[in-house]
Amino acid sequence: QLVAGSEGIRAETNQDGFFVLSLPRGVTPIRIRAVGYYPDTTTVELTTSLSRDFLLTPRPYELEEVAVQGGRDSSDIDPGTVEMSTARVDIRTVRLIPAGLGEVDPIRTLTRLPGVSNASDFTTGFSVRGGTVDQNLIRLDEATIYNPSHVFGFFSVFNGDAVDDVKLYKGAIPARFGGRLSSVLDVRQREGSRNRVEGTGSVGVLASRLAVEGPLPNELGSFLVAGRRTYADLFLRLSSNPELNRNTAYFYDLNVKTTLRLGSNGSLMLAGYRGRDRLGLIDRFQAGWGNTAGSAVWNQAVGNRIFSKVGLASSEYDYALDFLGTGRDLRWASRIGGTTFEVNETFYIGNGNTVEAGAELVWHRIEPGSVDPVGASPVVPFRLDERRGTSRAVHLSHEIDLTPAVSVRYGIRYAGFHRNGPGTLYQYADNAPVVYDRVLERYQRGEPIDSVRYGTGERIAGFAGLEPRVSLRVGVSPTASLKASYTRTRQYLHLVSNSNAPTPVDVWEPVGPYLDPQQADQVALGYAATLGGDQYELSVEGYYKRLSNVTDFVDGADLALNERLETEMLQGRGRAYGLEVHARKRSGRLTGWVSYTLSRSERQLTGLGAGDAGINQGRFYPSPFDKTHDLAVVALHPLGGRWSVGGTFVLRSGLPVTYPVSRGVYDGLWLLQYGDRNAARLPAYYRLDLTFTRSWGGKQLQLGLFNAYNRFNAQSIAFQQVEGNPTQLEAVQTSIFGLVPSASFSFRF
C-alpha cells in the first residue's frame, strides 16, 4: 500500500506488485507498507511520468518482553476499500499459533476465521459459508490444485516456508475468477530474496523443511526452492519386526519459483509444485497420490497506465492403488488435469478508477478410473471412458471512487463449458437415469435402453451463462464503512463423493446431458471499522445464498468405478444464510482475534415426478457442512525471556448425521431402518490448542499441545450389535485424537 502527500492519495499494488499513482508536479512524500515488511518513507520529484521500484526490508516477527506494535497492513478488514467477504492469512502469525504436530498450515488457520470450517480433525478440506469442498477454487500461482490434502487430509499441500500470500474470497468474488460456486483461495509462493542467498529450515517430530532463496546472476531476478518431507517410514525401518520395517508411509513437497526481469517494466514468473503421498503395506497394499502443477506468467507494464498479464498453467492430480497378495493383484488408478491460458489487462485511468478485462480458456481432462492386472494376475483390464471438456470465459469490471466516501466495483463474466468426446452416452426410458420406486419408497438406478458413442472432439453437451458481480462501499466515518455485494457463480465440475471430506480416491465428473451446472446467487451486507488508532479491527457481515442444481446422492450410492454415475446423482436447490463477526486486536502485549459464525446451510430435493416425495418428503434438510454455531478464539502473548505463548480455542456445533430409527429381522439378520437424511447431529465439538515459542538469533523452538485437555471429540458415530446379545444395539463413537504433543526447531542461515 502506498500513501502519498498530505492529502493521503492512496494506491495498492496488485498481486504482482504493479501500481499507478497520479500525483501533481513537484516533490511529494510517499509512505510504503506491506504485510511482513518494514514500512518505508521516501520522496519523489515529478516533472513528468516516471517508473519507480521500491524494495522493502523483510520484518522478522519475534515476540519478546516488549509490546508488539503493528499497523493496519492487511486488507481483509479495510474500511477504505470496496473489497469485502475476504480473509487473508499473515504467514508470520500462522507460525506462532498452534499447529497440528508442529506443521505450519495456512488452510487450518483459515478455519479459525468466520465463515470457514472443516469437517473433522483429520481433514484440511474446508467449507465456505456452508458449501462443499469441491465448490472452492484453489489456485497456486495461477495453477489449479484439485486436492489440497496430505495424509488423508490431516495436512495441506501448502508448505509455510514457500507461501507468501494466502487470500480467500468468500463473496464479492472479482469477475476474473470463476468455475466454482462458493469461494476462491488464491495462494502465492514467495519470490526469492534479491539481496543475498539465504535459507530457512525446520526439524519437527513428523517432518523437516528446507528452503533456499537468492538473487540470480547479473540482477536478472531471484529464485526460491523449498522442500518438505515426513519420515514415519524411517522410524519403521528401525523396527526389528519385518512386518513393519519394510512398510512405507510418508509424503513430500517440492516448491520452486523464479522471477526474471524483462526490461525495466516487465517480468516472467516461472513456478512449479510437486507433492506426493506414499503408503505401503509390504506384499499387501501400495498407494501413491498427489498433485503436480506448473505455471508461467508474463507481466508487462505498457506505458504508465496499462498492466498486461498473460499466463499459462497446467496441473494434475492422480492416484494409483495396488491391491496385492490375493492372487488377483490389481492396480486402480485415476487422474484429473487441466491446462489454463489466461489474459488479463488492467487500465489505470486515474487514482481510484480502474478497468480490468480479460479472457480464459481451460482444457479439462478426467480419467475417472481404470483397473489393470499386476504381474500374472488374471484380472481383466477395465477402463472408464475419459471425460473431456473446455471452459471459456471473458470478463470485464470497473472499480471507481465516486466520492471519497463512496466506491463501487461492478463487472460481468460470461462463461461456458463444452463437454466433448470420446465417450459413450447412455439413454434411459423417459430420459430418466434415476427413477423412484413407489412400492419400496426409494430411488432406483435407471436401466439403459440404448447408447450413443461420441468420437474424439465431438460435442456431447454445452452450457453457458452470465455471472454479474457488484460491490458497494459507503464510508460513514474516516475509519468505518458499510459494504454490500451481489455475486453470481457457476460450476461445471462436480466432485463425486458422498463424504463431507476429500479422500485420495475422489473423482470428478463434468456437467453433461444428465447433470446441469450448479449456480449460486449471493448477497452480503457488512460493516468494517478500525478502532483505537488501528489497534482494533471489527467486521460484521450477513449473507444469503440461493443455489440451484446442487447435487446429492441416492441412498446406498455406488460411486467407485461406476460408468453410469448419472444413475446415482440427484439435483435440487439449496440455500445458505448467516451472520459473521470478526474482532481483532493488532498491537499490544496481547494480540489475536475472536471469530463467530451463526449460519444455516440446507438443501431441498422435491422429487422426480408423480408419487415421488423427494428426500425427507421434499423438505429442506441440513447439508453436510451445516454448522449452526462456530466460535474461534486465537491469542498470542509474550511470556518473557524471548518466550511467547499462543492459544486457539474452537467451539462448533456437531455436523449433521443420519441415525437409525428402527430395526427388524429378515432371514435371521437384524436390519436397521434409517430415519430422515441429516436429521440428527454429532455432539458439539470443542478443543484447546497451545503453543510455546522461544525465538532468538534467527532460531525458533516451538513446543505444542494439540487438544490440551484431552477431549475425545466425536468424528463419527456408528451403530452395531452388542457382542453376545444381537437383540441389542450400541452406539460406537470414533475419535481420532486425544492429547498430542509436538516439538519443532526452526532456523535461518
Side-chain angles (χ1 to χ4, degrees), residues 20-84:
V20 170
L21 264 177
S22 296
L23 301 174
R25 291 178 182 269
V27 177
T28 304
I30 297 179
R31 179 173 173 81
I32 310 105
R33 57 187 182 184
V35 175
Y37 295 86
Y38 287 111
D40 190 18
T41 300
T42 186
T43 59
V44 294
E45 183 175 359
L46 291 178
T47 58
T48 184
S49 296
L50 59 82
S51 297
R52 285 286 301 272
D53 291 334
F54 298 102
L55 182 63
L56 300 182
T57 303
R59 178 173 56 188
Y61 196 82
E62 295 185 0
L63 287 173
E64 302 183 16
E65 293 186 90
V66 297
V68 179
Q69 300 295 332
R72 179 173 54 82
D73 52 10
S74 66
S75 62
D76 48 335
I77 302 178
D78 191 343
T81 71
V82 72
E83 195 170 69
M84 67 178 300

Side-chain angles (χ1 to χ4, degrees), residues 156-171:
S156 81
V157 300
F158 300 119
N159 181 348
D161 288 344
V163 170
D164 178 44
D165 187 58
V166 179
K167 192 170 187 179
L168 177 70
Y169 298 89
K170 301 179 292 182

Side-chain angles (χ1 to χ4, degrees), residues 329-447:
D329 297 354
L330 60 88
R331 167 167 291 184
W332 174 13
S334 177
R335 72 180 65 240
I336 178 174
T339 300
T340 303
F341 177 72
E342 288 182 295
V343 177
N344 286 286
E345 305 291 332
T346 305
F347 305 89
Y348 294 88
I349 300 172
N351 292 329
N353 190 355
T354 305
V355 173
E356 185 175 357
E360 176 187 82
L361 181 61
V362 186
W363 295 271
H364 304 276
R365 181 172 179 175
I366 303 171
E367 298 177 15
S370 63
V371 173
D372 292 293
V374 175
S377 170
V379 168
V380 177
F382 171 75
R383 191 174 304 274
L384 296 176
D385 285 337
E386 287 186 4
R387 273 68 162 164
R388 295 186 183 181
T390 306
S391 299
R392 299 177 176 88
V394 293
H395 64 85
L396 176 67
S397 62
H398 182 207
E399 181 174 339
I400 185 171
D401 295 337
L402 299 176
T403 71
V406 180
S407 304
V408 63
R409 181 175 65 194
Y410 57 95
I412 191 73
R413 180 182 179 89
Y414 181 78
F417 180 88
H418 292 153
R419 180 170 175 177
N420 306 317
T424 299
L425 176 65
Y426 292 92
Q427 298 177 338
Y428 302 88
D430 300 322
N431 204 35
V434 181
V435 296
Y436 186 77
D437 191 312
R438 300 182 187 179
V439 177
L440 298 177
E441 296 184 342
R442 60 174 297 168
Y443 291 103
Q444 301 280 12
R445 301 169 183 87
E447 291 297 328

Side-chain angles (χ1 to χ4, degrees), residues 662-717:
S662 63
R663 57 182 176 151
V665 179
Y666 177 78
D667 197 21
L669 298 175
W670 286 93
L671 303 178
L672 299 178
Q673 178 67 38
Y674 284 83
D676 287 346
R677 184 173 299 189
N678 292 349
R681 286 188 182 273
L682 293 174
Y685 178 103
Y686 54 92
R687 192 186 79 235
L688 173 68
D689 302 334
L690 296 173
T691 294
F692 299 89
T693 304
R694 187 177 191 272
S695 302
W696 75 100
K699 302 178 181 65
Q700 187 179 86
L701 174 65
Q702 195 167 74
L703 306 175
L705 291 175
F706 180 88
N707 197 3
Y709 50 79
N710 199 35
R711 172 174 169 80
F712 289 93
N713 287 290
Q715 308 297 319
S716 66
I717 293 179

Side-chain angles (χ1 to χ4, degrees), residues 489-509:
T489 51
R490 292 165 65 88
Q491 181 166 333
Y492 299 103
L493 296 178
H494 300 257
L495 185 65
V496 182
S497 173
N498 51 11
S499 166
N500 57 13
T503 71
V505 295
D506 289 337
V507 298
W508 293 75
E509 179 77 1

